[in-house]
Amino acid sequence: MNCSLYIHIPYCISKCDYCDFFSIGCGKACVPDDYVDALCNEIKYKIENYSITEWETVYIGGGTPSLLSYSQLKKIFDCIYLTGQKQISECTIEVNPDDVTKELIETYNTLSITRLSCGIQSLQNNVLKQVHRRSSGEQVINALNIINQYWKGDFSVDLISGLPEQTKDDFLQNLKTLMNYKIHHISMYALTIEEGTPLDNKINSGKIHYDFDKADELWIEGRNFLEKNGFNQYEVSNFCKNDKFCKHNLVYWSLQNYIGCGCGATGTIYYTNKKSIRITNIPELNKYISVWNSDTHNDIEQTQQVEEIDTKTEEFEFLMMGLRTLKGINATEYKKRFQIELSQNVIKLFEKWEKEGKAQISINSDKSVQYSLTKTGILYLNKFLLEIM
């Protein structure tokens, strides 16, 4: 089977106030070897268990994967390539700006990594401090300069609009500064206040005043700037130059198979003749390490949750994920996947939104019908999905 691989490295020196991803504060710049050993054992097991012959894409995320040493990364890649393939078309690793050195980038150039994703978020020190980012604006610029000079592959950065104390002028200046670098892809997210995070608690307690409308307006200003400067929006929060899409994320948005390895990682396998399954490794680090480093792996079921995805749920996810992209969904692909036509309810809603300038219905060269939301309509994706539920 061919599929993609997500690897989770759940260690951070410190945790940002807005983050609700599973991560553990390690307080020092290293990842324990016993975690890497457990991760490698899981990768080996899943290659054999799912008869993986080729990885379409690989994404190493976190947490902070840039805390991994060369020997740890080499060990992980030795396991990844147990499939027997020679190379992977896209292999991404996330890096934190203050981990970036010339030596680190040159190390990445010697491995099978083809794409860096750097979590910049902001260049303003006051903004970074408000959410406890461990990098400073100066460290971000230093990282950009090093990557610009030494990195040989594709380069993506993450930005967040609407962070506390962020002004419109500051945010647009961030984008102007980034235009000076060889960046192929920008993920620009409007800040989401996740329940239970430190930032959520500060806002609810009144320690921080937050204007949600201003945050949305700022994102739209950013989108307009990026498009004027050659970055084309291809998904709700993603922009690229010269079709440098993130292939791994396209796997998620088009409901293709991917396996998750690492504590807290998720994977989904889609079947045509039975219910699809979603497997999530539970966020219990000690149990994960203990089970995967045992000789027998007999207690694997204790480290994961398995969810069966019924057809109705998968149909909705096909629409939800596909409509995140500007390409949208294809009626022929929908019928091939689910053995039924796209519902009249969905088609009528598209026709209604098309009249309002928020959707587009087009005919492809193969006569198939393509349904998509416009750049205005995609801002109201959640409203569209609620109307078809």
Side-chain angles (χ1 to χ4, degrees), residues 42 178 206 268 343-344:
E42 185 186 9
L178 292 179
T268 307
S343 76
Q344 284 300 308

Side-chain angles (χ1 to χ4, degrees), residues 353-367:
W353 277 46
E354 185 177 42
K355 291 176 182 177
E356 298 171 356
K358 294 187 293 186
Q360 182 176 340
I361 304 172
S362 55
I363 308 298
N364 296 320
S365 58
D366 62 358
K367 307 302 182 184

Side-chain angles (χ1 to χ4, degrees), residues 66-78:
S66 48
L67 297 178
L68 290 164
S69 68
Y70 171 78
S71 61
Q72 289 174 332
L73 274 171
K74 179 69 166 56
K75 185 170 186 176
I76 291 168
F77 276 104
D78 286 345

Side-chain angles (χ1 to χ4, degrees), residues 143-154:
L144 288 170
N145 287 331
I146 291 172
I147 292 168
N148 211 55
Q149 183 173 358
Y150 297 105
W151 174 239
K152 297 178 181 179
D154 293 338

